Amino acid sequence: MTTGVPDQPWRGPKSSQRLAHVLAQPILSGQVREGDRLPNEAEMMARYGAGRPTVREALRLLETRGLIMLKTGPGGGPIVRRPPKGSLSEALSLVLQVEGASFADVTDARIALEPMIARRAAERITEPQLAELEDSIKQLRDHPGDHDVFVAENQRFHTLIAEAAQSVVLDVFVSTLQTIADGVRVGVEYSARKQSAIAAAHASIVEALRAGDPERAEQAMRDHLAEAERYWRHRYPELMTRPVQWTY
Amino acid sequence: MTTGVPDQPWRGPKSSQRLAHVLAQPILSGQVREGDRLPNEAEMMARYGAGRPTVREALRLLETRGLIMLKTGPGGGPIVRRPPKGSLSEALSLVLQVEGASFADVTDARIALEPMIARRAAERITEPQLAELEDSIKQLRDHPGDHDVFVAENQRFHTLIAEAAQSVVLDVFVSTLQTIADGVRVGVEYSARKQSAIAAAHASIVEALRAGDPERAEQAMRDHLAEAERYWRHRYPELMTRPVQWTY
């Protein structure tokens, strides 16, 4: 009891958590698919012998975890979705705020992780992935100074390399850090000249990947990120000390 | 509306999420501390002009995120806690189950991450941290064949090195992966002979760290984890293909 209102007992976390996990199984196993509708609250209460507060809490937990979307209005209800790989960012940003991490700490982790990922990618990358990376560089070069193209292609480039490394875990980590502290998202701007230098850095990385040269790919990625960090420290010094904030 | 019960409007996620973030600020800023009691439901409803369902959902969200513990019973209520670094494991295990990751994928990520972390640790480790690592090895050697000591010291060893690398982000990643797929947690057993080999591997890593030799520390950690993986593949082949499951 937290409220002193005896006729509305506060349900322990266990019953709603257990129900959430029962409800999650057909979603996680792929038995129901993105866009499918789950039974409504009344049906769930009947089917699982659970009270309305338990069912609501269970649905809210699944919504928090990105497994369903609760559509309101007539004809609404719980709709199955697939949590995006970036969905960890809420949970991670919270832990990092608690730990007192700064934007510099996140950048530093990217500089530690991504060269190692580029090394792995050099050993595993496929021809279609190389072609996609080369297309990304072409887009940058065909749209000099276009901020939106730059933002999209920069993110696409780093995501493609994380995918090419064929580690779903590392891929998830990189996506999450990108969401939490991408320079562009927090207001870093690049001149046309700087964008062209970045396209050249991307091209060096792709050459190393195409050559299947892990050491060179690792070094090229390290140089690229270290250069980005230098630029941020020089142009946006206050940014680096900014604490990570729980984002939602 | 998900229920067709018009007298109980379903609150949109926004109001409870917004309230959760308002309530989180004094916790995240350290203004209230672990063990402190937050106002009860009735006070929160009055203070924030929010309905009971909104307040309850907000508290549940904070509980899900590990920022409070909801104590039931007379004198209960929301108690502030500090989310442990391992609290990401619920969110990560969910994303990994959705992505179809296996235990081998998590092991593989540890083999990629931890050598790089040992390399960083060699450049940053302090004398007290080295002494703690040496003590951990001593504990292993002083209790040959003791399963509980082995489990505790093995985890302590890898956690200490992640801390010595002085990257809160990498430290959080390693803790999370350790929680999701530690060999010992999922039932791997080690003979006294195997435990003694692991103590020796730990000692090689610490020697490299004490020498401040990043390359050697990286290689020693890589050898250690690759050997562990070979052992698991040989002795517990079914374990490696086991899918990661959402744990709670």
Side-chain angles (χ1 to χ4, degrees):
Chain A
M1 294 298 302
T2 58
T3 62
V5 184
D7 58 336
Q8 294 205 335
W10 182 280
R11 292 286 191 136
K14 288 280 149 65
S15 57
S16 57
Q17 276 193 348
R18 277 199 306 268
L19 179 57
H21 281 80
V22 168
L23 296 175
Q25 289 321 306
I27 303 175
L28 294 170
S29 69
Q31 202 181 317
V32 298
R33 278 190 306 241
E34 194 164 4
D36 284 358
R37 185 182 301 266
L38 294 185
N40 67 23
E41 246 180 55
E43 284 174 69
M44 284 192 182
M45 288 164 64
R47 187 180 301 182
Y48 300 103
R52 189 182 303 276
T54 302
V55 170
R56 286 196 170 178
E57 279 168 29
L59 291 175
R60 195 59 81 193
L61 208 148
L62 295 178
E63 192 190 35
T64 304
R65 291 296 184 237
L67 284 177
I68 61 169
M69 194 176 63
L70 289 167
K71 251 184 94 176
T72 54
I79 310 287
V80 173
R81 53 181 291 221
R82 186 181 166 84
K85 275 181 292 192
S87 69
L88 257 191
S89 56
E90 195 213 321
L92 181 63
S93 63
L94 174 63
V95 172
L96 293 182
Q97 181 171 357
V98 170
E99 297 290 329
S102 66
F103 189 92
D105 291 321
V106 177
T107 306
D108 184 51
R110 286 190 63 187
I111 295 177
L113 277 173
E114 293 201 39
M116 175 268 285
I117 286 169
R119 163 186 278 269
R120 283 177 61 105
E123 290 161 347
R124 293 165 171 84
I125 197 161
T126 63
E127 181 54 42
Q129 288 171 323
L130 284 166
E132 262 216 79
L133 285 170
E134 281 158 357
D135 178 66
S136 173
I137 294 165
K138 184 173 183 308
Q139 294 301 322
L140 283 185
R141 287 181 166 157
D142 286 354
H143 301 84
D146 184 323
H147 184 72
D148 293 343
V149 169
F150 178 74
V151 170
E153 292 303 331
N154 189 42
Q155 180 151 7
R156 182 176 163 219
F157 182 84
H158 289 275
T159 303
L160 280 168
I161 292 180
E163 286 172 6
Q166 291 180 28
S167 161
V168 60
V169 179
L170 299 176
D171 189 0
V172 164
F173 285 165
V174 169
S175 308
T176 305
L177 294 181
Q178 242 185 5
T179 307
I180 292 181
D182 188 62
V184 168
R185 280 172 185 260
V186 292
V188 170
E189 292 197 0
Y190 296 96
S191 65
R193 192 162 141 265
K194 189 75 199 162
Q195 290 187 17
S196 148
I198 287 170
H202 284 191
S204 303
I205 295 165
V206 174
E207 273 164 35
L209 293 173
R210 186 168 274 295
D213 186 335
E215 272 82 42
R216 190 145 64 92
E218 181 176 355
Q219 193 55 50
M221 180 65 90
R222 185 171 288 128
D223 293 345
H224 169 47
L225 292 174
E227 171 57 33
E229 196 205 12
R230 267 195 300 277
Y231 181 74
W232 295 340
R233 281 195 192 277
H234 178 64
R235 294 284 294 270
Y236 302 89
E238 83 300 335
L239 175 66
M240 300 304 275
T241 54
R242 195 185 293 176
V244 173
Q245 301 252 340
W246 185 17
T247 48
Y248 58 105
Chain B
M1 295 297 303
T2 58
T3 62
V5 184
D7 58 335
Q8 293 204 335
W10 182 278
R11 290 286 191 138
K14 289 279 149 66
S15 56
S16 57
Q17 275 194 350
R18 275 198 307 265
L19 179 57
H21 281 81
V22 169
L23 296 176
Q25 289 322 307
I27 304 175
L28 294 170
S29 69
Q31 203 181 318
V32 298
R33 279 190 306 241
E34 193 162 5
D36 284 356
R37 185 183 300 269
L38 294 185
N40 68 23
E41 244 180 58
E43 285 174 68
M44 284 193 183
M45 288 165 63
R47 186 180 300 182
Y48 300 104
R52 189 181 303 277
T54 301
V55 169
R56 287 196 169 176
E57 280 167 28
L59 291 174
R60 195 59 81 194
L61 208 148
L62 294 179
E63 191 190 35
T64 305
R65 291 296 184 236
L67 285 178
I68 61 171
M69 195 176 61
L70 288 167
K71 252 184 94 176
T72 53
I79 309 287
V80 173
R81 53 182 290 221
R82 187 182 164 84
K85 275 182 292 191
S87 69
L88 256 191
S89 57
E90 195 213 321
L92 182 62
S93 63
L94 174 63
V95 171
L96 293 182
Q97 181 172 355
V98 170
E99 298 289 329
S102 66
F103 189 91
D105 290 321
V106 177
T107 305
D108 184 50
R110 286 189 64 187
I111 295 177
L113 278 174
E114 292 201 39
M116 176 268 286
I117 286 169
R119 163 186 277 270
R120 283 177 60 105
E123 292 162 346
R124 292 167 173 83
I125 198 161
T126 63
E127 181 55 43
Q129 288 171 325
L130 284 165
E132 262 218 78
L133 286 169
E134 281 158 357
D135 177 67
S136 173
I137 293 166
K138 183 173 184 309
Q139 294 302 321
L140 284 184
R141 287 181 167 157
D142 286 353
H143 301 85
D146 183 324
H147 184 73
D148 293 342
V149 170
F150 178 75
V151 170
E153 292 303 332
N154 189 42
Q155 181 152 5
R156 182 175 163 221
F157 182 84
H158 288 275
T159 302
L160 280 168
I161 291 180
E163 286 171 7
Q166 290 181 27
S167 161
V168 59
V169 179
L170 299 176
D171 188 0
V172 164
F173 285 165
V174 169
S175 308
T176 306
L177 294 181
Q178 240 184 4
T179 307
I180 293 181
D182 188 63
V184 168
R185 281 172 185 261
V186 293
V188 170
E189 292 196 1
Y190 296 96
S191 64
R193 193 164 139 265
K194 189 75 200 164
Q195 290 186 18
S196 148
I198 287 171
H202 284 191
S204 304
I205 294 166
V206 174
E207 274 164 35
L209 293 173
R210 188 169 272 295
D213 187 334
E215 271 82 44
R216 189 144 66 90
E218 179 175 355
Q219 193 55 49
M221 180 65 89
R222 185 170 288 127
D223 291 346
H224 169 44
L225 292 174
E227 172 56 33
E229 196 204 11
R230 268 194 300 277
Y231 182 74
W232 295 340
R233 282 196 191 278
H234 178 62
R235 294 282 295 270
Y236 302 90
E238 82 299 335
L239 173 66
M240 300 304 275
T241 55
R242 195 185 294 176
V244 173
Q245 301 250 341
W246 185 18
T247 49
Y248 59 106

